[in-house]
């Protein structure tokens, strides 16, 4: 195999720069960022990216982490779906994280990452994400890039409008996409308009520990609640949700839920809701929902079932909830850095409507209402409207902001990003995307203080962009430079799953606090083994517990006898390494789950159930040293009726 010389590498970069400079898209669109496009995304060996980019995995149920501007994939964080690479959902410690009121659910559809906020700006502590199918929200700790908490949401179906945070992450909000009977019961779907309701859940986050709890739910008319964003500045006590299907259709929705000229943005004063709940408003009702938490001390998850939730209705919240009309079938609802402008993204609209928070307040004060729906006033469109962006393209979905007075909206149908001014709502620039862009992301672009260097497009279709891979091609992201007046396409990169929403923050917010290892002296796992001399094997009926250690390059014990066919064998493996980036793996022949991937100082458990007598091998699956291949051992399994005694070695 030939090596690429230094001069060859330089030539490749130069040619890439020439190609980027020379090639234009059809129709006279601007070239790919000019001659320096390649250098703007190139991160030299030993150098690091400027931003972390947290991208939803969609139907993979996971979250992926990329570096920007390089587009390099750093990690896939398992959240709602089993992940054999890391043993997530397979090890005995992680299985409880995937428990729900429906039992063990090892998959979900993850759409919307959202960073924890302090004073309206991402603080780098946590990233949240929703489970759309089995309604859940998850909290990922960015010290170790591990899912630390998953909370199921009762009275909900299709948890799409989620998990968006208030100004200081006091609450994470989640709206139901599919209205259902509340409480859910066996009734005819034909009774949709009369008996189906939507719920908006407010999940409280403890500022110190990050722990989540379901504070209250709002019982809303039976619409489909799609996305949300919190206010800022003067509007920081408000949360805004988009909703569609105000027709309350229950079949052929692509037609029947697109009849009305306008749907709604829901404006909710969450502070007023908080005060109402604190004084005991609403009703505490029975509900069954899972609450799963991870402990860094025991390296284990705990699954509990909750049984109550407070439900508030519009009658409990007079003056705290309003509908603002917005065209048409809105997806995104986005608030600019000042908190004054609320932007709707009507999928079928021909304009981008920009609502004014101050005008909304005046409309409320003057009772400029069109009507009421279930006790919720509907404000007049013109009374709240700051202006409309004309001719933005087709299919506006989602808007983010650069902090310099500009907004960027993804246009799904016309496959482009439209840049427009917050001063006069005029279009400044358009850039094609390849193809069918859904969401977009500017680092901090939904916060009070964006880092407006790039905008990243997350595309649904990549026809003709990459090498073919059968009937389905990779999804993709494209990164644009937005430091000038015109957007410049720099590069694209494949992504896992179907990327929906994403968040990006400067690397220094997270990297400086990154956990390197788990101190072995702080390990409180009930089956921890803190030295090879403490390794042992114990039988309790049909359960065999193997207290095992892993160090470069040896398992202790590595020869075990006395296991019987039909036993439940628990390998409790403690990684004794106290060095950064030295995990160990563990796998055993015939295991019907997955491997373990055990971080330095951590204990993890694999359940193995051998059915036939014989000698079975186990080994380290994660390359750890020059003698990695020698890191292996054997388990002798005898017949159920045998008298073979337990025996193991500690050498």
């Amino acid at each position: 195999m030939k090596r690429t010389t230094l001069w060859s590498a330089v030539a490749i970069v130069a040619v890439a720069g020439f190609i980027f400079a020379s090639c234009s898209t059809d129709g006279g669109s601007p070239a790919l960022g000019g001659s320096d496009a390649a250098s703007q995304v190139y991160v030299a060996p030993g150098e690091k990216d400027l931003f972390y980019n947290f991208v939803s995995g969609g139907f993979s149920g996971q979250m992926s982490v990329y570096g920007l501007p390089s587009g390099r994939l750093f990690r896939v964080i398992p959240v709602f779906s089993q992940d054999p690479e890391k043993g997530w959902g397979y090890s005995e410690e992680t299985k409880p994280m995937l428990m729900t009121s429906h039992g063990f659910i090892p998959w979900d559809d993850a759409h919307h990452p959202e960073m924890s906020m302090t004073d309206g700006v991402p603080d780098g502590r946590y990233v949240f994400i929703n489970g759309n199918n089995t309604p859940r929200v998850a909290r990922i700790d960015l010290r170790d890039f591990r899912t630390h908490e998953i909370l199921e949401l009762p009275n909900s179906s299709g948890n799409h409008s989620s998990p968006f945070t208030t100004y200081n992450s006091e609450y994470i909000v989640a709206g139901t996409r599919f209205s259902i009977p509340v409480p859910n019961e066996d009734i005819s779907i034909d009774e949709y308009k009369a008996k189906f309701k939507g719920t908006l859940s407010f999940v409280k986050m403890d500022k110190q520990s990050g722990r989540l709890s379901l504070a209250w739910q709002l019982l809303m008319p039976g619409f489909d609640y799609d996305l949300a964003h919190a206010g800022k500045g003067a509007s920081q006590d408000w949360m805004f949700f988009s909703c569609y299907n105000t027709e309350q259709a229950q079949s052929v929705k692509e037609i029947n839920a697109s009849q009305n000229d306008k749907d709604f943005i829901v404006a909710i004063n969450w502070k007023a809701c908080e005060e109402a709940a604190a004084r005991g408003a609403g009703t505490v009702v029975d509900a069954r929902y899972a609450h799963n938490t991870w402990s860094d001390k025991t390296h284990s998850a705990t699954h509990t079932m909750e049984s109550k939730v407070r439900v508030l209705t519009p009658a409990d919240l007079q003056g705290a909830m309003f509908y603002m009309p917005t065209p048409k079938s809105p997806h995104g609802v986005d608030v600019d850095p000042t908190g004054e402008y609320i932007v709707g993204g009507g999928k079928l609209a021909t304009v981008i409507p920009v609502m004014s928070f101050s005008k909304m307040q005046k409309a409320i004060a003057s009772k400029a209402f069109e009507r009421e729906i279930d006790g919720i006033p509907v404000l007049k469109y013109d009374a709240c409207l700051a202006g409309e962006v004309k001719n933005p393209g087709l299919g506006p979905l989602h808007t983010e902001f650069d902090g310099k007075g500009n907004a960027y909206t993804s246009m799904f149908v016309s496959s482009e990003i439209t840049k427009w001014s917050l001063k006069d709502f005029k279009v400044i620039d358009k850039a094609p995307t390849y193809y069918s862009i859904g969401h977009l992301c500017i680092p901090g672009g939904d916060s009070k203080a964006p880092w407006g260097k790039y905008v990243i497009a997350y595309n649904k279709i990549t026809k003709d962009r990459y090498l073919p891979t059968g009937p389905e091609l990779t999804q993709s992201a494209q990164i644009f430079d937005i430091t000038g007046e015109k957007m410049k396409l720099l590069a694209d990169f494949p992504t896992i799953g179907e990327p929906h929403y994403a968040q990006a923050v400067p690397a220094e917010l997270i990297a400086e606090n990154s956990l390197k290892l788990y101190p072995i002296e702080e390990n409180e796992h009930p089956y921890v083994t803190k030295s090879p001399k403490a390794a042992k094997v114990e039988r309790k009926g049909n359960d065999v517990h193997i207290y095992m250690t892993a160090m470069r390059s040896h398992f202790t014990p590595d020869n075990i006898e006395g296991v019987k066919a039909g036993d439940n064998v628990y390998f409790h493996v403690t990684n004794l390494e106290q060095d950064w980036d030295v995990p160990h793996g563990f796998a055993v022949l015939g295991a019907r789950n997955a491997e373990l991937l055990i971080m330095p100082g951590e204990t993890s458990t694999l359940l193995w159930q051998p059915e036939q007598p014989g000698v079975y091998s186990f080994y380290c699956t994660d390359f750890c040293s020059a003698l990695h291949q020698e890191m292996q051992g054997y388990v002798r399994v005898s017949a159920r009726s045998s008298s073979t005694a337990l025996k193991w070695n500690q050498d």
Side-chain angles (χ1 to χ4, degrees):
M1 179 178 178
K2 294 183 179 179
R3 291 186 175 183
T4 301
T5 65
L6 174 62
W7 290 112
S8 297
V10 171
I12 289 169
V13 172
V15 169
F18 174 77
I19 292 171
F20 282 139
S22 302
C23 294
S24 297
T25 58
D26 292 339
S29 299
L32 291 176
S35 60
D36 62 342
S39 65
Q40 289 187 54
V41 297
Y42 177 69
V43 178
E47 299 297 322
K48 297 180 175 64
D49 279 280
L50 299 175
F51 296 93
Y52 285 101
N53 187 207
F54 299 94
V55 182
S56 66
F59 42 69
S60 77
Q62 319 289 36
M63 182 186 293
S64 52
V65 186
Y66 298 86
L68 295 178
S70 72
R72 297 178 296 188
L73 175 63
F74 292 152
R75 188 165 184 82
V76 175
I77 302 173
V79 185
F80 302 112
S81 298
Q82 288 177 302
D83 182 350
E85 178 192 3
K86 303 171 187 70
W88 183 259
Y90 292 103
S91 72
E92 296 306 294
E93 290 79 5
T94 60
K95 285 179 181 178
M97 292 298 287
L98 302 183
M99 291 299 295
T100 75
S101 61
H102 307 278
F104 182 74
I105 304 291
W107 171 84
D108 217 313
D109 185 17
H111 279 213
H112 303 125
E114 174 83 339
M115 305 295 294
S116 57
M117 302 272 189
T118 298
D119 193 26
V121 179
D123 57 23
R125 292 183 67 195
Y126 309 116
V127 60
F128 309 98
I129 194 166
N130 65 323
N132 191 31
N133 187 63
T134 305
R136 291 175 277 183
V137 293
R139 175 175 59 89
I140 296 164
D141 193 317
L142 293 178
R143 294 180 310 119
D144 59 7
F145 286 62
R146 174 176 274 170
T147 303
H148 276 236
E149 193 166 9
I150 296 178
L151 178 66
E152 189 180 6
L153 301 173
N155 303 319
S156 182
S157 182
N159 172 37
H160 194 256
S161 184
S162 169
F164 299 96
T165 80
T166 55
Y167 197 68
N168 283 291
S169 292
E170 299 95 340
Y171 295 93
I172 292 89
V173 305
T176 186
R177 175 180 172 188
F178 309 117
S179 291
I180 56 174
V182 178
N184 208 348
E185 58 184 334
D186 177 16
I187 64 173
S188 172
I189 299 171
D190 291 337
E191 297 185 75
Y192 186 102
K193 286 189 177 182
K195 295 189 176 179
F196 284 48
K197 296 291 184 181
T199 53
L200 306 180
S201 301
F202 282 71
V203 176
K204 188 171 182 60
M205 187 190 83
D206 182 271
K207 195 64 177 175
Q208 298 304 314
S209 67
R211 187 177 176 88
L212 305 178
S213 59
L214 182 54
W216 68 81
Q217 292 183 310
L218 306 182
L219 196 63
M220 302 292 288
F223 305 153
D224 291 34
Y225 296 86
D226 203 13
L227 288 178
H229 265 106
K232 309 172 182 72
S235 62
Q236 71 184 60
D237 293 346
W238 291 75
M239 179 63 69
F240 303 93
F241 294 81
S242 64
C243 65
Y244 62 97
N245 191 26
T246 53
E247 299 85 352
Q248 293 185 276
Q250 79 269 20
S251 66
V252 197
K253 281 193 173 184
E254 68 271 25
I255 296 173
N256 293 327
S258 301
Q259 300 299 306
N260 293 341
D261 180 57
K262 291 183 175 64
D263 290 297
F264 298 122
I265 291 171
V266 192
I268 296 173
N269 187 322
W270 64 263
K271 276 283 192 182
C273 298
E274 182 180 61
E275 292 165 2
R279 63 175 180 266
T283 305
V284 176
V285 302
D286 293 334
R288 290 186 71 251
Y289 57 102
H291 190 185
N292 308 325
T293 57
W294 179 262
S295 167
D296 280 340
K297 295 292 186 182
T298 64
H299 306 161
S300 303
T302 300
H303 160 66
T304 57
M305 291 297 298
E306 306 286 353
S307 60
K308 301 289 183 182
V309 62
R310 182 177 296 277
V311 176
L312 302 172
T313 68
D316 302 314
L317 299 165
Q318 295 296 318
M321 301 167 59
F322 302 89
Y323 282 125
M324 285 191 291
T326 189
K328 179 177 183 185
S329 295
H331 187 58
V333 54
D334 303 288
V335 183
D336 86 302
T338 70
E340 169 62 12
Y341 296 126
I342 304 109
V343 182
K347 300 188 295 291
L348 303 179
T350 58
V351 298
I352 300 172
V354 184
M355 314 309 283
S356 162
F357 178 74
S358 58
K359 291 186 73 173
M360 184 193 86
Q361 293 294 92
K362 290 177 182 177
I364 293 169
S366 65
K367 299 188 183 302
F369 304 151
E370 289 183 356
R371 56 191 167 116
E372 284 192 356
I373 300 175
D374 289 3
I376 303 171
V378 179
L379 299 168
K380 293 181 178 178
Y381 180 70
D382 289 338
C384 302
L385 186 68
E388 295 175 335
V389 182
K390 307 290 187 181
N391 301 313
L394 300 176
L397 285 186
H398 170 220
T399 300
E400 294 216 340
F401 309 91
D402 63 8
K404 303 168 189 174
N406 303 306
Y408 300 74
T409 301
S410 57
M411 313 299 295
F412 176 78
V413 176
S414 53
S415 294
E416 59 189 335
I417 297 173
T418 297
K419 176 182 178 181
W420 51 275
S421 172
L422 288 166
K423 294 178 182 177
D424 56 15
F425 311 133
K426 302 286 188 184
V427 172
I428 298 170
D429 188 28
K430 293 185 179 183
T433 60
Y434 305 103
Y435 302 95
S436 297
I437 179 177
H439 286 276
L440 48 72
C441 168
I442 293 172
D446 65 345
S447 76
K448 187 180 77 171
W451 296 276
K453 187 174 179 63
Y454 305 112
V455 64
I456 305 96
Y458 302 95
N459 304 316
K460 307 298 186 186
I461 297 171
T462 58
K463 225 175 266 190
D464 76 31
R465 303 296 295 177
Y466 298 104
L467 290 173
T469 52
E472 185 188 25
L473 304 180
T474 182
Q475 285 82 30
S476 79
Q478 293 180 293
I479 182 169
F480 295 79
D481 181 348
I482 59 171
T483 56
E485 183 178 15
K486 300 293 185 180
M487 293 174 277
K488 295 180 180 180
L489 177 59
L490 301 179
D492 57 15
F493 53 92
T495 61
I496 68 162
E498 182 192 353
H500 288 263
Y501 195 48
Q503 298 268 278
V505 294
E508 61 264 22
L509 269 183
I510 296 170
E512 294 174 0
N513 300 315
S514 187
L515 191 69
K516 292 181 170 60
L517 53 86
Y518 299 97
I520 192 69
E521 65 273 12
E522 297 177 9
N523 186 329
E524 297 177 9
H525 192 287
Y527 293 97
V528 63
T529 307
K530 294 190 176 182
S531 76
K533 292 182 179 180
K536 60 182 179 180
V537 182
E538 291 182 343
R539 174 178 289 280
K540 296 180 180 179
N542 289 344
D543 295 340
V544 176
H545 294 271
I546 300 172
Y547 295 72
M548 180 177 284
T549 63
M551 289 185 69
R552 286 169 287 185
S553 300
H554 185 67
F555 288 114
T556 304
D558 64 359
N559 286 325
I560 302 157
E561 300 189 23
V563 172
K564 298 180 181 181
D567 279 343
N568 301 311
V569 182
Y570 295 89
F571 290 92
H572 307 289
V573 186
T574 300
N575 181 350
L576 296 180
E577 307 286 354
Q578 293 290 270
D579 191 8
W580 189 19
D581 195 28
V582 188
H584 285 296
F586 178 85
V588 60
L589 176 65
R592 293 187 296 272
N593 40 22
E595 66 155 3
L596 298 176
L597 188 63
I598 315 146
M599 297 301 111
E602 184 180 31
T603 301
S604 192
T605 302
L606 184 74
L607 171 60
W608 179 54
Q609 296 166 304
E611 296 180 351
Q612 300 295 329
V615 176
Y616 295 82
S617 58
F618 59 83
Y619 68 103
C620 177
T621 55
D622 191 276
F623 198 95
C624 55
S625 72
L627 297 177
H628 165 73
Q629 291 293 95
E630 284 75 12
M631 193 169 177
Q632 61 189 50
Y634 293 102
V635 181
R636 175 188 173 190
V637 177
S638 300
R640 188 83 228 151
S641 59
S642 78
S643 58
T644 305
L646 278 180
K647 183 173 70 173
W648 65 94
N649 70 317
Q650 292 178 307
D651 298 329

